[in-house]
Amino acid sequence: MDRLKIIKKNIMEKKTTILNLTEEEFVHSGNRACSGCGLSIIYRIGLKALGKNTILVVPPSCLTVLQGLYPVASTKLPCVNVTFASTGAAATGVRGAMKALKKENVNVVAWAGDGGTGDIGIQALSGACERGEDIIYICYDNEAYMNTGVQRSGTTPQGVLTTTTPIKGKLQEKKDVPSIIAAHGIGYVATASAAYPLDFYDKVKKAMTISGPRYIHVHTPCPPGWSFDTRFTIKVGKLAVKSGLFDLYEIEDGEFQLTGESKRLVGKEKPPVTDYFNSQGRFKSLDAELVKTVQERVDTKWAKY
Amino acid sequence: MHIIESGNVAAATGVKLSRAQVIAAYPITPQTPLTEKLSEFVESEEFDAQYIPVESEHSAMAVCIAASSAGARAFTATSANGLLYMSEQLHWAVGARLPLVMCVANRGIGAPWTVWNDQQDTMSQRDAGWIQIYANDHQQIIDSVIKAFRLAQTVSIPVMVCYDGYILSHTYMPFEQPDQEQVDSFLPPFAPKNFLDPENPGNFNTVTLPDVRPGVDGKIEPGYIEIRHNLHEDLRTALDTYEEIDKEFEEQFGRGGNPLIEQYKCDDAEFVAVCIGSLSYQLRDVIDIMRDDGMKIGVMSVQMYRPFPDEAIVAVLAGKKCAIVLEKALSYGNQGALYGDIKSALYNSDTKPHVHNYILGLGGREIKTQHLLDALTESCTSPDTIGDTPRWIGLKL
């Protein structure tokens, strides 16, 4: 399908396209993100979706840096920076204040990295989900502690070289954070990719129509951390989805469905995972056996879709 | 209204009368009945507040920090290990200059586990930058909570109201419960200049640099060290501010007058026992016995420990023969923290007394009047031969 046809199809399906994406920007250009930063893409697009009436809650992460150093800020929305482990609870506090002050219709949005979400922050997030707090939680998963210099995290995939898995690569598999959050039975869990920003935009928009805890987990390529050229952020992100390693889906009221590019892949032949592995330096210590194991895991998973 | 209730209920009632808007807490002995009472007030719709039953103390303080940043009056309470679990957040709340109020029912810290009273928990947090107020009875608990909200929002610094676990938290005492209208006229609503507001967006608690830095308008804004310097200066100012607030409280409610230190028979005393919290009332009995025997001794309790009321303390202790500092906490490997502070305050005094240090009551060890009598008598009879090493009361080695 050529691009024009895809755009026409998306318009028919009421999906956002580059033609009808809102023009208003909430992130200033010239911010402190690295060039080619996947977070930089989704933060810009995500805030467009959220709009002005939003309060952000951000723990330490690359986003803290992206947002600038006092007294300059690159975000045009109110934002409270909070301690690392506290994001879910801090978002709870903002919502609590909105209720107490009778301020309706404010989006309370936590935006954290994979460490701040699935590792040090998982207790506060789990608590907020269990209590049914009316918040949107967006996790940008760049698959390691990038802000501190590429140390392993719970969501680092198996075999990846990081500065704390420098020789053998990470021994353990990637922690499935969205499934953990979905197990809380909240109304909306979705995955997205920085390589498909408009799909992410629509998922944020959908999340805004639902109340209670909503969680979006965004696969976010990181050129310095994953060791690829800054030109290839989108390409690398798309390969993760197209090879079937990272799946785009939504779980609405417990109903799972693949979405976007992942939905289109069902029943189709996918590029081998080695295409994805070879696109980055962080996988260079993978041995053939682990590559085979990962391919088998992907094939088994997709056989169920 | 005159009522008889527990210290925890006195605290909860103070929070209700202060119209806290967001309350988050995690139960821990001996604070638990306070948390339960607040949830009951809210669930029965007697009290219009958001009660958020968080999954940890760290999160309790996170909720308070965020709610206060968004413009709501916030409260939490804890004890012992719960306080330590939120320690990072205590520092954050101060740095963010949020007017939170927290009650701490003082309890010893594990390991080994103890649920009983001492003051190691709050003393270990003395350098966080919070204002620390200690109550000696239930009346002081409820009054201090109300005054604490006023003080916190006047100086934009969070306030801890501390009271001895079990000894005050769980015992019942008569106290006067102020009317809501009176409290409303004393404590105006929380109306911060800066809060999380989509109409006037700001990025709070961002990364600061070692040096000052111009904003987009060219105006030079402070670096980290200036921000911290200002916090310290504002804390020192809080001593006077609290005295003024207490004076206003006294005029309106007829109670107060001793916001920084409380004295009992200190005026003509040659010896002064110094302590924090409910121990001061037990010491009054001891002092009365000693006075019957002709010993000129008084008691001073430190009501506000941070900022440290050094001038008020020196004004009482300078010229005395001996100050005897009795503490339910210890700066391990050194001395009692209060002892060190008092010696430091007296250092430049021309008429400084001898200062003795006693450690007692850790982990709830019973403090016997006879033990106090023996210790104070020894200090009074040989003020210049007792050294600088802390002496332990009631130890059974």
Side-chain angles (χ1 to χ4, degrees):
Chain A
M1 217 180 324
D2 65 27
R3 283 185 186 188
L4 194 63
K5 277 187 184 163
I6 291 177
I7 289 171
K8 277 183 183 166
K9 186 171 176 291
N10 283 343
I11 290 171
M12 292 299 289
E13 289 176 1
K14 293 187 176 167
K15 300 229 185 266
T16 301
T17 71
I18 201 70
L19 299 177
N20 61 0
L21 180 67
T22 178
E23 284 187 22
E24 190 171 5
E25 300 284 353
F26 294 95
V27 186
H28 291 288
S29 58
N31 61 56
R32 286 179 175 262
C34 306
S35 58
C37 174
L39 168 62
S40 181
I41 298 168
I42 57 165
Y43 198 52
R44 174 175 167 246
I45 294 293
L47 298 199
K48 274 173 179 284
L50 291 163
K52 186 187 165 190
N53 211 18
T54 299
I55 295 174
L56 295 158
V57 178
V58 174
S61 75
C62 293
L63 181 52
T64 322
V65 178
L66 186 156
Q67 300 214 87
L69 306 173
Y70 182 77
V72 178
S74 65
T75 303
K76 296 189 220 176
L77 295 176
C79 174
V80 61
N81 291 274
V82 299
T83 59
F84 211 174
S86 71
T87 314
T92 300
V94 174
R95 176 57 75 197
M98 293 301 107
K99 285 185 193 165
L101 300 168
K102 312 280 187 281
K103 292 181 181 175
E104 309 291 336
N105 304 320
V106 176
N107 304 308
V108 177
V109 180
W111 200 305
D114 46 289
T117 301
D119 292 342
I120 195 170
I122 199 166
Q123 173 181 313
L125 173 56
S126 175
C129 289
E130 181 271 329
R131 292 190 303 271
E133 301 295 347
D134 191 20
I135 58 172
I136 297 174
Y137 194 110
I138 295 170
C139 168
Y140 69 98
D141 181 6
N142 51 24
E143 300 190 324
Y145 302 146
M146 296 314 186
N147 195 36
T148 44
V150 201
Q151 295 83 26
R152 86 186 277 288
S153 78
T155 66
T156 302
Q158 193 172 8
V160 164
L161 294 172
T162 69
T163 53
T164 51
T165 54
I167 297 160
K168 296 177 183 171
K170 190 189 171 191
L171 301 176
Q172 301 81 7
E173 288 184 56
K174 180 180 174 77
K175 189 195 277 194
D176 186 356
V177 178
S179 292
I180 294 168
I181 303 308
H184 290 76
I186 65 174
Y188 187 72
V189 172
T191 61
S193 164
Y196 299 95
L198 297 177
D199 174 66
F200 171 61
Y201 180 93
D202 284 335
K203 283 169 177 166
V204 174
K205 279 288 186 196
K206 184 184 274 189
M208 289 164 68
T209 66
I210 298 165
S211 60
R214 293 142 283 168
Y215 179 81
I216 305 176
H217 191 98
V218 195
H219 195 240
T220 309
C222 168
W226 295 9
S227 192
F228 64 83
D229 193 278
T230 55
R231 290 176 294 164
F232 297 135
T233 303
I234 300 297
K235 187 180 168 185
V236 166
K238 283 187 172 176
L239 264 174
V241 174
K242 287 184 175 175
S243 62
L245 274 162
F246 189 88
D247 307 333
L248 306 179
Y249 61 79
E250 288 177 325
I251 304 172
E252 264 186 277
D253 293 326
E255 289 292 315
F256 175 96
Q257 62 162 358
L258 290 172
T259 58
E261 187 64 22
S262 293
K263 195 175 176 183
R264 284 191 278 276
L265 283 171
V266 177
K268 292 188 182 143
E269 195 167 328
K270 293 180 286 297
V273 292
T274 45
D275 284 11
Y276 178 65
F277 293 156
N278 292 337
S279 70
Q280 302 151 66
R282 64 175 175 154
F283 289 107
K284 70 183 176 197
S285 77
L286 286 192
D287 58 28
E289 198 183 335
L290 182 55
V291 171
K292 186 164 167 274
T293 305
V294 174
Q295 186 66 64
E296 281 167 7
R297 282 185 201 141
V298 168
D299 294 343
T300 307
K301 179 179 69 174
W302 277 83
K304 291 177 194 160
Y305 289 153
Chain B
M1 187 170 56
H2 220 58
I3 58 172
I4 298 175
E5 257 299 353
S6 70
N8 277 326
V9 170
T13 307
V15 174
K16 179 164 76 95
L17 289 168
S18 300
R19 298 192 189 277
Q21 292 164 302
V22 175
I23 296 157
Y26 191 75
I28 181 168
T29 303
Q31 154 266 35
T32 315
L34 163 54
T35 310
E36 291 169 344
K37 194 70 190 173
L38 285 169
S39 69
E40 182 193 318
F41 281 153
V42 173
E43 211 168 291
S44 66
E45 299 181 6
E46 189 180 330
F47 178 23
D48 181 19
Q50 301 294 316
Y51 179 86
I52 301 169
V54 286
E55 82 297 332
S56 76
E57 288 88 356
H58 194 276
S59 285
M61 189 49 74
V63 166
C64 290
I65 286 168
S68 184
S69 302
R73 182 173 284 161
F75 175 83
T76 187
T78 191
S79 294
N81 290 61
L83 181 70
L84 302 195
Y85 190 41
M86 62 167 74
S87 176
E88 169 197 32
Q89 300 283 58
L90 300 184
H91 289 260
W92 196 265
V94 171
R97 300 299 299 264
L98 300 169
L100 311 175
V101 172
M102 169 167 63
C103 282
V104 180
N106 286 113
R107 162 182 161 181
I109 297 166
W113 281 121
T114 172
V115 297
W116 291 277
N117 167 244
D118 66 39
Q119 294 165 346
Q120 191 69 37
D121 51 1
T122 48
M123 295 302 274
S124 77
Q125 300 302 310
R126 66 172 185 166
D127 295 336
W130 280 60
I131 293 168
Q132 288 195 356
I133 295 169
Y134 289 80
N136 298 346
D137 60 29
H138 295 20
Q139 190 67 62
Q140 287 186 7
I141 292 173
I142 186 168
D143 292 351
S144 297
V145 166
I146 296 163
K147 285 187 276 189
F149 276 108
R150 172 83 182 269
L151 176 62
Q153 71 185 39
T154 306
V155 296
S156 297
I157 296 172
V159 181
M160 245 178 243
V161 176
C162 315
Y163 50 90
D164 288 314
Y166 289 117
I167 297 168
L168 294 179
S169 69
H170 281 63
T171 54
Y172 283 62
M173 275 191 208
F175 58 91
E176 183 69 24
Q177 179 184 315
D179 295 338
Q180 185 67 63
E181 299 75 41
Q182 275 185 302
V183 177
D184 287 344
S185 70
F186 173 77
L187 178 63
F190 177 41
K193 271 184 282 179
N194 297 310
F195 57 97
L196 294 166
D197 180 10
E199 296 303 322
N200 183 25
N203 200 329
F204 293 8
N205 318 322
T206 43
V207 180
T208 48
L209 290 173
D211 210 344
V212 298
R213 189 164 185 250
V216 285
D217 54 1
K219 188 174 161 236
I220 300 293
E221 299 292 349
Y224 183 88
I225 195 171
E226 286 77 21
I227 291 168
R228 289 286 161 165
H229 164 269
N230 295 344
L231 166 65
H232 176 71
E233 291 299 310
D234 291 349
L235 265 166
R236 295 303 301 172
T237 310
L239 288 164
D240 288 345
T241 309
Y242 191 49
E243 282 192 303
E244 288 159 20
I245 287 171
D246 177 76
K247 199 172 171 205
E248 210 181 299
F249 187 91
E250 191 181 10
E251 282 164 10
Q252 195 170 332
F253 297 89
R255 294 185 301 277
N258 305 296
L260 306 182
I261 54 169
E262 197 170 78
Q263 300 173 61
Y264 179 73
K265 300 187 179 173
C266 288
D267 285 349
D268 67 338
E270 294 174 340
F271 304 92
V272 176
V274 185
C275 69
I276 292 177
S278 61
L279 177 61
S280 66
Y281 286 4
Q282 191 180 357
L283 281 167
R284 289 181 185 190
D285 289 342
V286 178
I287 262 85
D288 285 343
I289 295 167
M290 292 173 75
R291 279 197 169 249
D292 286 346
D293 290 342
M295 206 78 81
K296 284 190 171 179
I297 184 164
V299 187
M300 177 174 77
S301 65
V302 178
Q303 304 293 107
M304 179 179 268
Y305 178 57
R306 281 295 180 273
F308 192 59
D310 43 1
E311 285 179 18
I313 287 171
V314 171
V316 174
L317 297 183
K320 306 292 188 197
K321 278 189 185 161
C322 185
I324 305 137
V325 184
L326 302 108
E327 297 187 66
K328 295 180 182 178
L330 180 59
S331 177
Y332 283 94
N334 190 25
Q335 307 161 326
L338 177 63
Y339 177 59
D341 289 335
I342 284 178
K343 278 198 302 180
S344 168
L346 288 165
Y347 184 77
N348 289 324
S349 167
D350 294 332
T351 54
K352 50 179 166 282
H354 294 286
V355 193
H356 301 164
N357 192 196
Y358 292 90
I359 306 299
L360 74 177
L362 300 191
R365 172 62 56 88
E366 186 186 359
I367 299 168
K368 296 196 169 173
T369 297
Q370 187 60 51
H371 288 161
L372 293 173
L373 197 55
D374 293 346
L376 294 184
T377 304
E378 195 180 354
S379 275
C380 293
T381 48
S382 48
D384 47 1
T385 56
I386 290 177
D388 204 33
T389 309
R391 297 154 72 90
W392 294 66
I393 292 180
L395 206 55
K396 296 174 183 172
L397 291 173

